[in-house]
Coordinates of all heavy atoms in Angstrom, one line a residue:
M1 N 79.9 127.7 129.5 CA 80.8 126.6 129.7 C 81.5 126.8 131.1 O 82.0 127.8 131.5 CB 81.8 126.6 128.6 CG 82.8 125.6 128.7 SD 84.3 125.7 127.6 CE 83.6 126.6 126.2
T2 N 81.7 125.6 131.7 CA 82.3 125.5 133.1 C 83.3 124.5 133.0 O 83.0 123.3 132.7 CB 81.3 125.4 134.2 OG1 80.3 126.4 134.1 CG2 82.0 125.5 135.5
I3 N 84.6 124.7 133.4 CA 85.6 123.7 133.5 C 86.0 123.6 134.9 O 86.5 124.6 135.5 CB 86.8 124.0 132.6 CG1 86.3 124.1 131.2 CG2 87.9 123.0 132.8 CD1 87.4 124.6 130.1
T4 N 86.0 122.4 135.5 CA 86.4 122.2 136.9 C 87.4 121.1 136.9 O 87.1 120.0 136.5 CB 85.1 121.8 137.8 OG1 84.1 122.8 137.5 CG2 85.5 121.7 139.2
R5 N 88.4 121.4 137.5 CA 89.6 120.4 137.7 C 89.3 119.6 139.0 O 89.4 120.2 140.1 CB 90.9 120.9 137.7 CG 92.0 119.9 137.6 CD 93.4 120.6 137.3 NE 94.2 119.5 136.8 CZ 94.9 119.5 135.7 NH1 94.9 120.6 135.1 NH2 95.7 118.5 135.5
I6 N 88.9 118.4 138.9 CA 88.6 117.6 140.2 C 89.8 117.1 140.9 O 89.9 117.3 142.1 CB 87.6 116.5 139.7 CG1 86.4 117.0 139.2 CG2 87.4 115.5 141.0 CD1 85.5 116.0 138.6
N7 N 90.8 116.6 140.1 CA 92.1 116.2 140.7 C 93.0 116.3 139.6 O 92.8 116.8 138.5 CB 92.0 114.9 141.4 CG 91.6 113.7 140.5 OD1 92.0 113.8 139.3 ND2 91.0 112.8 141.1
E8 N 94.2 115.7 139.8 CA 95.3 115.9 138.8 C 95.0 115.2 137.6 O 95.6 115.7 136.6 CB 96.6 115.2 139.4 CG 97.8 115.4 138.7 CD 99.1 114.9 139.3 OE1 99.2 115.1 140.5 OE2 99.8 114.2 138.5
K9 N 94.1 114.2 137.6 CA 93.9 113.4 136.4 C 92.5 113.5 135.9 O 92.1 112.8 134.9 CB 94.4 111.9 136.6 CG 95.8 111.8 136.8 CD 96.2 110.4 136.8 CE 97.6 110.3 137.0 NZ 98.2 109.0 136.6
T10 N 91.7 114.3 136.5 CA 90.2 114.3 136.1 C 89.8 115.8 136.0 O 90.0 116.6 136.8 CB 89.3 113.6 137.2 OG1 89.9 112.3 137.4 CG2 88.0 113.4 136.8
I11 N 89.1 116.0 134.9 CA 88.5 117.3 134.6 C 86.9 117.2 134.3 O 86.7 116.2 133.5 CB 89.2 118.0 133.4 CG1 90.7 118.2 133.8 CG2 88.5 119.3 133.0 CD1 91.5 118.6 132.5
M12 N 86.1 118.1 134.7 CA 84.8 118.0 134.4 C 84.4 119.3 133.6 O 84.8 120.5 133.9 CB 83.9 118.1 135.7 CG 82.4 118.0 135.4 SD 81.4 117.8 136.9 CE 81.7 119.4 137.7
L13 N 83.8 119.1 132.5 CA 83.4 120.1 131.5 C 81.9 120.2 131.3 O 81.3 119.0 131.0 CB 84.1 119.8 130.1 CG 83.9 120.8 129.1 CD1 84.5 122.2 129.4 CD2 84.4 120.2 127.7
E14 N 81.3 121.3 131.7 CA 79.9 121.4 131.5 C 79.5 122.4 130.4 O 80.1 123.5 130.3 CB 79.2 122.0 132.8 CG 79.5 121.1 134.0 CD 79.0 121.6 135.3 OE1 77.8 121.7 135.6 OE2 79.8 122.2 136.2
L15 N 78.6 122.0 129.6 CA 78.3 122.8 128.3 C 76.8 122.9 128.3 O 76.1 121.9 128.4 CB 78.8 122.2 127.1 CG 80.3 122.1 126.7 CD1 80.5 121.2 125.4 CD2 80.9 123.4 126.6
L16 N 76.3 124.1 128.0 CA 74.9 124.4 127.8 C 74.6 123.9 126.4 O 75.4 123.7 125.5 CB 74.6 125.9 127.9 CG 74.9 126.6 129.3 CD1 74.7 128.0 129.2 CD2 74.1 125.9 130.3
T17 N 73.3 123.6 126.2 CA 72.8 123.0 125.0 C 73.2 123.9 123.8 O 73.6 123.4 122.7 CB 71.3 122.7 125.1 OG1 71.0 122.0 126.1 CG2 70.8 122.1 123.7
E18 N 73.1 125.2 124.0 CA 73.4 126.1 122.9 C 74.9 126.3 122.5 O 75.2 126.8 121.6 CB 72.8 127.5 123.1 CG 73.1 128.1 124.4 CD 72.0 127.8 125.5 OE1 71.1 127.0 125.3 OE2 72.3 128.3 126.5
E19 N 75.8 125.8 123.5 CA 77.2 125.8 123.2 C 77.8 124.6 122.6 O 78.9 124.7 122.1 CB 77.9 126.0 124.7 CG 77.7 127.2 125.4 CD 78.2 127.3 126.8 OE1 78.4 126.3 127.4 OE2 78.6 128.4 127.2
V20 N 76.9 123.6 122.5 CA 77.4 122.3 121.8 C 77.4 122.5 120.3 O 76.2 122.8 119.7 CB 76.5 121.1 122.2 CG1 77.0 119.9 121.5 CG2 76.6 121.0 123.8
P21 N 78.5 122.5 119.5 CA 78.4 122.6 118.1 C 77.6 121.5 117.4 O 77.6 120.3 117.9 CB 79.9 122.5 117.7 CG 80.7 121.9 118.8 CD 79.8 122.1 120.0
Q22 N 77.0 121.7 116.4 CA 76.2 120.8 115.6 C 77.1 120.1 114.6 O 77.1 120.4 113.3 CB 75.0 121.5 114.9 CG 74.0 122.2 115.8 CD 73.4 121.2 116.9 OE1 73.0 120.1 116.5 NE2 73.3 121.6 118.1
V23 N 77.9 119.2 115.1 CA 78.8 118.5 114.2 C 78.6 116.9 114.5 O 77.9 116.6 115.4 CB 80.3 118.8 114.5 CG1 80.5 120.2 114.1 CG2 80.7 118.6 116.0
N24 N 79.4 116.1 113.8 CA 79.2 114.7 114.0 C 79.9 114.4 115.4 O 80.6 115.1 116.0 CB 79.8 113.9 112.9 CG 81.2 114.1 112.7 OD1 82.0 114.4 113.5 ND2 81.7 113.8 111.4
E25 N 79.7 113.1 115.8 CA 80.2 112.7 117.2 C 81.7 112.8 117.3 O 82.2 113.1 118.3 CB 79.7 111.4 117.5 CG 78.2 111.3 117.7 CD 77.7 109.8 118.0 OE1 78.5 108.9 118.0 OE2 76.4 109.6 118.2
E26 N 82.4 112.4 116.2 CA 83.8 112.4 116.3 C 84.4 113.7 116.4 O 85.4 114.0 117.3 CB 84.4 111.6 115.1 CG 85.9 111.4 115.1 CD 86.4 110.6 113.9 OE1 85.7 109.9 113.3 OE2 87.6 110.8 113.6
D27 N 83.9 114.6 115.7 CA 84.4 116.0 115.7 C 84.1 116.7 117.1 O 84.8 117.4 117.6 CB 83.7 116.9 114.6 CG 84.3 116.5 113.2 OD1 85.4 115.9 113.2 OD2 83.7 116.8 112.3
L28 N 82.9 116.3 117.6 CA 82.4 116.8 119.0 C 83.5 116.3 120.1 O 83.9 117.1 120.9 CB 81.0 116.3 119.3 CG 80.6 116.9 120.6 CD1 80.5 118.3 120.9 CD2 79.2 116.2 121.0
L29 N 83.9 115.1 120.0 CA 84.8 114.6 120.9 C 86.2 115.3 120.9 O 86.8 115.6 121.9 CB 85.0 113.1 120.6 CG 83.9 112.2 120.9 CD1 84.3 110.7 120.6 CD2 83.3 112.3 122.3
Y30 N 86.7 115.6 119.7 CA 87.9 116.3 119.5 C 87.8 117.8 119.9 O 88.7 118.3 120.5 CB 88.5 116.3 118.0 CG 89.0 115.0 117.6 CD1 88.4 114.2 116.5 CD2 90.1 114.5 118.2 CE1 88.9 113.0 116.2 CE2 90.6 113.2 117.9 CZ 90.1 112.4 116.8 OH 90.6 111.3 116.5
H31 N 86.6 118.3 119.7 CA 86.3 119.6 120.2 C 86.3 119.7 121.7 O 87.0 120.6 122.2 CB 85.0 120.1 119.6 CG 84.6 121.5 120.2 ND1 85.2 122.7 119.7 CD2 83.6 121.8 121.0 CE1 84.6 123.7 120.2 NE2 83.7 123.3 121.1
I32 N 85.8 118.8 122.4 CA 85.7 118.8 123.9 C 87.2 118.5 124.4 O 87.6 119.2 125.4 CB 84.7 117.7 124.4 CG1 83.4 118.1 124.0 CG2 84.9 117.4 125.8 CD1 82.3 117.0 124.1
L33 N 87.8 117.6 123.8 CA 89.2 117.4 124.3 C 90.1 118.6 124.1 O 90.9 119.0 124.9 CB 89.8 116.2 123.5 CG 89.2 114.8 124.1 CD1 89.9 113.7 123.3 CD2 89.6 114.5 125.5
S34 N 90.0 119.2 122.9 CA 90.8 120.4 122.7 C 90.6 121.5 123.7 O 91.5 122.3 124.1 CB 90.7 120.9 121.3 OG 89.4 121.3 121.0
I35 N 89.3 121.7 124.0 CA 88.9 122.8 125.0 C 89.5 122.5 126.3 O 90.2 123.4 127.0 CB 87.3 122.9 125.2 CG1 86.7 123.4 123.9 CG2 87.0 123.7 126.5 CD1 85.2 123.3 124.0
A36 N 89.5 121.2 126.8 CA 90.0 120.9 128.0 C 91.5 121.0 128.0 O 92.1 121.5 129.1 CB 89.6 119.4 128.5
I37 N 92.1 120.5 127.1 CA 93.6 120.5 127.0 C 94.2 122.0 126.9 O 95.0 122.3 127.7 CB 94.1 119.9 125.8 CG1 93.9 118.3 125.9 CG2 95.6 120.0 125.5 CD1 94.1 117.6 124.7
S38 N 93.6 122.9 126.2 CA 94.0 124.2 126.1 C 93.6 125.1 127.4 O 94.5 125.8 127.9 CB 93.4 125.0 124.9 OG 92.0 125.0 125.0
A39 N 92.5 124.8 128.1 CA 92.2 125.5 129.2 C 93.0 125.1 130.4 O 93.2 126.0 131.3 CB 90.7 125.3 129.5
E40 N 93.3 123.9 130.6 CA 94.0 123.4 131.7 C 95.4 123.3 131.4 O 96.2 122.8 132.3 CB 93.4 122.1 132.2 CG 92.0 122.2 132.7 CD 92.0 123.0 134.0 OE1 92.8 122.8 134.8 OE2 91.0 123.9 134.1
H41 N 96.0 123.6 130.2 CA 97.4 123.5 129.9 C 97.9 122.0 130.2 O 99.0 121.9 131.0 CB 98.3 124.6 130.6 CG 97.7 125.9 130.3 ND1 97.7 126.6 129.2 CD2 97.1 126.8 131.2 CE1 97.2 127.7 129.3 NE2 96.8 127.9 130.5
L42 N 97.3 121.2 129.7 CA 97.7 119.7 129.9 C 98.8 119.2 129.1 O 98.9 119.6 127.8 CB 96.4 118.7 129.7 CG 95.3 119.1 130.5 CD1 94.2 118.1 130.1 CD2 95.6 118.8 132.1
N43 N 99.6 118.5 129.6 CA 100.7 117.8 128.8 C 100.1 116.5 128.3 O 99.9 115.6 129.0 CB 101.9 117.6 129.7 CG 103.1 116.9 128.9 OD1 103.0 116.8 127.6 ND2 104.1 116.6 129.5
T44 N 100.0 116.4 127.0 CA 99.3 115.3 126.4 C 100.3 114.3 125.7 O 99.9 113.3 125.1 CB 98.4 115.7 125.2 OG1 99.2 116.4 124.3 CG2 97.3 116.6 125.8
E45 N 101.6 114.5 126.1 CA 102.5 113.5 125.4 C 102.4 112.2 126.2 O 102.5 112.2 127.5 CB 104.0 114.0 125.7 CG 105.0 113.3 125.0 CD 106.4 113.9 125.1 OE1 106.4 115.2 125.2 OE2 107.3 113.4 125.1
N46 N 102.3 111.1 125.5 CA 102.2 109.7 126.0 C 101.1 109.6 126.9 O 101.1 108.9 128.0 CB 103.5 109.3 126.7 CG 104.7 109.3 125.9 OD1 104.6 108.9 124.6 ND2 105.9 109.7 126.2
C47 N 99.9 110.1 126.6 CA 98.7 110.0 127.5 C 97.5 109.5 126.6 O 97.4 109.6 125.4 CB 98.2 111.5 128.1 SG 99.4 112.1 129.2
A48 N 96.6 108.9 127.4 CA 95.4 108.4 126.7 C 94.2 109.1 127.6 O 94.4 109.4 128.7 CB 95.3 106.9 126.9
F49 N 93.1 109.3 126.9 CA 92.0 110.0 127.6 C 90.8 109.1 127.6 O 90.5 108.4 126.6 CB 91.7 111.2 126.8 CG 92.7 112.3 126.8 CD1 93.6 112.3 125.7 CD2 92.9 113.1 127.7 CE1 94.6 113.3 125.6 CE2 93.9 114.1 127.7 CZ 94.8 114.1 126.7
L50 N 90.1 109.1 128.7 CA 88.8 108.5 128.8 C 87.8 109.6 128.9 O 87.8 110.5 129.8 CB 88.7 107.7 130.1 CG 87.4 107.0 130.4 CD1 86.9 106.0 129.3 CD2 87.4 106.3 131.7
L51 N 86.8 109.7 127.9 CA 85.9 110.7 128.0 C 84.4 110.1 128.2 O 84.0 109.2 127.5 CB 85.8 111.5 126.7 CG 84.8 112.6 126.4 CD1 85.1 113.7 127.5 CD2 85.0 113.1 124.9
E52 N 83.8 110.6 129.3 CA 82.5 110.1 129.6 C 81.5 111.3 129.6 O 81.9 112.4 130.0 CB 82.5 109.5 131.0 CG 83.4 108.3 131.2 CD 83.5 107.8 132.5 OE1 84.3 108.5 133.3 OE2 82.8 106.8 132.8
G53 N 80.4 111.1 129.1 CA 79.4 112.2 129.0 C 78.0 111.8 129.3 O 77.5 110.7 129.0
V54 N 77.2 112.7 129.9 CA 75.8 112.5 130.2 C 75.0 113.8 129.9 O 75.7 114.9 129.9 CB 75.5 112.2 131.7 CG1 76.1 110.8 132.0 CG2 76.1 113.3 132.6
E55 N 73.7 113.7 129.6 CA 73.0 114.9 129.3 C 72.3 115.3 130.6 O 71.8 114.5 131.4 CB 71.9 114.5 128.2 CG 71.2 115.7 127.7 CD 70.2 115.4 126.5 OE1 70.2 114.2 126.1 OE2 69.5 116.2 126.1
S56 N 72.3 116.7 130.9 CA 71.7 117.1 132.0 C 70.4 118.0 131.6 O 70.2 118.1 130.5 CB 72.7 118.0 132.8 OG 73.0 119.2 132.1
K57 N 69.9 118.6 132.5 CA 68.6 119.5 132.1 C 69.0 120.7 131.4 O 68.3 121.1 130.5 CB 67.9 119.9 133.5 CG 67.3 118.8 134.2 CD 66.6 119.4 135.4 CE 65.9 118.2 136.2 NZ 65.3 118.6 137.5
K58 N 70.2 121.3 131.7 CA 70.7 122.4 130.9 C 71.6 122.2 129.8 O 71.8 123.1 129.0 CB 71.5 123.3 132.0 CG 70.7 123.8 133.2 CD 71.6 124.7 134.0 CE 70.8 125.2 135.1 NZ 71.6 125.9 136.0
G59 N 72.2 121.0 129.7 CA 73.0 120.8 128.5 C 73.7 119.4 128.6 O 73.1 118.3 128.9
F60 N 75.1 119.4 128.7 CA 75.8 118.2 128.8 C 77.0 118.4 129.8 O 77.5 119.4 130.1 CB 76.5 117.8 127.4 CG 75.4 117.6 126.4 CD1 75.0 118.6 125.6 CD2 75.0 116.3 126.2 CE1 74.0 118.4 124.6 CE2 74.0 116.0 125.3 CZ 73.5 117.0 124.5
V61 N 77.3 117.3 130.5 CA 78.4 117.2 131.4 C 79.3 116.1 130.9 O 79.0 115.0 130.8 CB 78.0 116.8 132.8 CG1 79.2 116.7 133.8 CG2 76.9 117.9 133.3
F62 N 80.6 116.5 130.7 CA 81.7 115.5 130.3 C 82.7 115.4 131.4 O 83.1 116.4 131.9 CB 82.3 116.0 129.0 CG 81.3 116.1 127.9 CD1 80.8 117.3 127.5 CD2 81.1 115.0 127.2 CE1 79.9 117.4 126.5 CE2 80.3 115.2 126.1 CZ 79.6 116.3 125.8
L63 N 83.1 114.2 131.6 CA 84.2 113.9 132.6 C 85.4 113.3 131.8 O 85.2 112.3 131.1 CB 83.7 112.9 133.6 CG 84.6 112.5 134.8 CD1 84.7 113.8 135.7 CD2 84.1 111.5 135.6
I64 N 86.6 113.9 131.8 CA 87.7 113.6 131.1 C 88.8 113.1 132.1 O 89.1 113.8 133.1 CB 88.3 114.8 130.3 CG1 87.3 115.3 129.4 CG2 89.5 114.3 129.6 CD1 87.5 116.7 128.8
T65 N 89.3 111.8 132.0 CA 90.2 111.3 132.8 C 91.5 111.0 132.0 O 91.4 110.5 130.9 CB 89.7 109.9 133.4 OG1 88.4 110.1 134.0 CG2 90.6 109.4 134.4
I66 N 92.6 111.4 132.5 CA 93.8 111.3 131.8 C 94.6 110.1 132.3 O 94.7 109.9 133.5 CB 94.8 112.6 132.0 CG1 94.0 113.8 131.7 CG2 96.1 112.3 131.3 CD1 94.6 115.1 132.1
K67 N 94.9 109.2 131.4 CA 95.6 107.9 131.8 C 96.9 108.0 131.2 O 97.1 108.3 129.9 CB 94.8 106.7 131.3 CG 93.4 106.7 132.0 CD 92.7 105.4 131.6 CE 91.5 105.3 132.3 NZ 91.1 103.9 132.8
N68 N 97.9 107.7 131.9 CA 99.3 107.5 131.3 C 99.3 106.2 130.4 O 98.9 105.1 131.0 CB 100.4 107.5 132.5 CG 100.5 108.9 133.1 OD1 100.0 110.0 132.6 ND2 100.7 108.8 134.4
S69 N 100.0 106.3 129.4 CA 100.2 105.1 128.6 C 101.4 104.3 129.2 O 102.1 104.7 130.1 CB 100.4 105.4 127.2 OG 101.6 106.2 127.1
R70 N 101.6 103.1 128.6 CA 102.6 102.3 129.1 C 104.0 102.9 128.8 O 104.2 103.7 127.9 CB 102.6 101.0 128.3 CG 101.4 100.2 128.4 CD 101.6 98.9 127.6 NE 100.3 98.2 127.7 CZ 100.2 97.1 126.9 NH1 101.1 96.6 126.0 NH2 99.0 96.4 126.8
R71 N 104.8 102.6 129.8 CA 106.1 103.0 129.7 C 107.0 102.1 128.8 O 106.8 101.0 128.9 CB 106.9 103.2 131.1 CG 106.1 104.4 131.9 CD 107.0 104.6 133.2 NE 106.3 105.6 133.9 CZ 106.7 105.9 135.1 NH1 107.7 105.3 135.7 NH2 106.1 106.8 135.8
R72 N 107.9 102.5 128.1 CA 108.8 101.8 127.2 C 110.2 101.8 127.9 O 110.7 102.9 128.2 CB 108.7 102.2 125.9 CG 107.5 102.1 125.2 CD 107.5 102.6 123.8 NE 106.2 102.4 123.2 CZ 105.9 102.5 121.9 NH1 106.9 102.5 121.1 NH2 104.7 102.3 121.5
F73 N 110.7 100.7 128.0 CA 112.1 100.6 128.6 C 113.0 99.9 127.5 O 112.6 99.1 126.8 CB 112.1 99.7 129.8 CG 111.3 100.2 131.0 CD1 109.9 99.8 131.1 CD2 111.8 101.2 131.8 CE1 109.2 100.3 132.1 CE2 111.0 101.7 132.8 CZ 109.8 101.3 133.0
K74 N 114.3 100.4 127.5 CA 115.3 99.8 126.6 C 116.1 98.9 127.5 O 116.5 99.2 128.6 CB 116.1 100.9 126.0 CG 115.3 101.7 125.0 CD 116.3 102.7 124.4 CE 115.6 103.5 123.3 NZ 116.5 104.5 122.7
I75 N 116.5 97.8 127.0 CA 117.4 96.8 127.6 C 118.8 97.1 127.1 O 119.0 97.0 126.0 CB 116.9 95.4 127.4 CG1 115.5 95.2 127.9 CG2 117.9 94.5 128.1 CD1 115.0 93.9 127.7
K76 N 119.7 97.4 128.0 CA 121.0 97.7 127.7 C 121.9 96.5 128.0 O 121.7 95.8 129.1 CB 121.6 98.9 128.4 CG 121.0 100.2 128.1 CD 121.7 101.3 128.8 CE 121.1 102.6 128.5 NZ 121.8 103.7 129.1
K77 N 122.7 96.2 127.1 CA 123.6 95.0 127.3 C 124.9 95.5 127.9 O 125.4 96.5 127.6 CB 123.9 94.3 126.1 CG 122.7 93.7 125.5 CD 123.1 92.9 124.1 CE 121.8 92.3 123.7 NZ 122.0 91.5 122.3
N78 N 125.5 94.8 128.9 CA 126.8 95.1 129.4 C 127.9 94.9 128.4 O 127.9 93.9 127.7 CB 127.1 94.3 130.7 CG 126.3 94.7 131.8 OD1 125.7 95.8 131.8 ND2 126.0 93.8 132.7
P79 N 128.8 95.8 128.2 CA 129.9 95.7 127.2 C 130.9 94.5 127.5 O 131.1 94.0 128.6 CB 130.6 97.0 127.2 CG 130.2 97.7 128.4 CD 129.0 97.1 128.9

């Protein structure tokens, strides 16, 4: 497994075929995200993730992009 931080919001995760757990797709997605979050110490509060993956000759390559979610603002009334 190789984890490469491309920039502040993008991480590339390379897994060999034998490192990929034999689980359903949803559990695999959560597994990949948890690896990246724990390895890079990411702050996941108010964030969305875009996960893209391709199969390579040796295994799989995943690109994880962190997107900030919408900001919420409160409107204050003047007293």
Side-chain angles (χ1 to χ4, degrees):
M1 173 184 348
T2 305
I3 300 173
T4 308
R5 190 167 194 130
I6 297 173
N7 59 33
E8 186 179 315
K9 296 188 177 204
T10 308
I11 298 169
M12 184 172 65
L13 178 69
E14 299 175 77
L15 293 172
L16 298 174
T17 305
E18 52 271 1
E19 293 176 328
V20 178
Q22 300 300 318
V23 295
N24 62 24
E25 291 177 1
E26 186 176 336
D27 289 340
L28 179 60
L29 296 176
Y30 285 118
H31 177 71
I32 292 166
L33 286 174
S34 67
I35 289 172
I37 289 168
S38 62
E40 293 295 319
H41 306 292
L42 299 175
N43 181 7
T44 58
E45 187 174 328
N46 297 323
C47 289
F49 296 96
L50 174 64
L51 178 64
E52 302 170 277
V54 294
E55 189 172 356
S56 68
K57 291 180 182 178
K58 296 180 181 179
F60 296 91
V61 178
F62 297 97
L63 191 66
I64 302 165
T65 305
I66 304 163
K67 297 186 173 219
N68 293 333
S69 63
R70 295 183 193 173
R71 292 184 180 177
R72 295 183 183 196
F73 297 96
K74 290 184 179 180
I75 299 173
K76 292 185 179 180
K77 296 181 180 181
N78 290 333

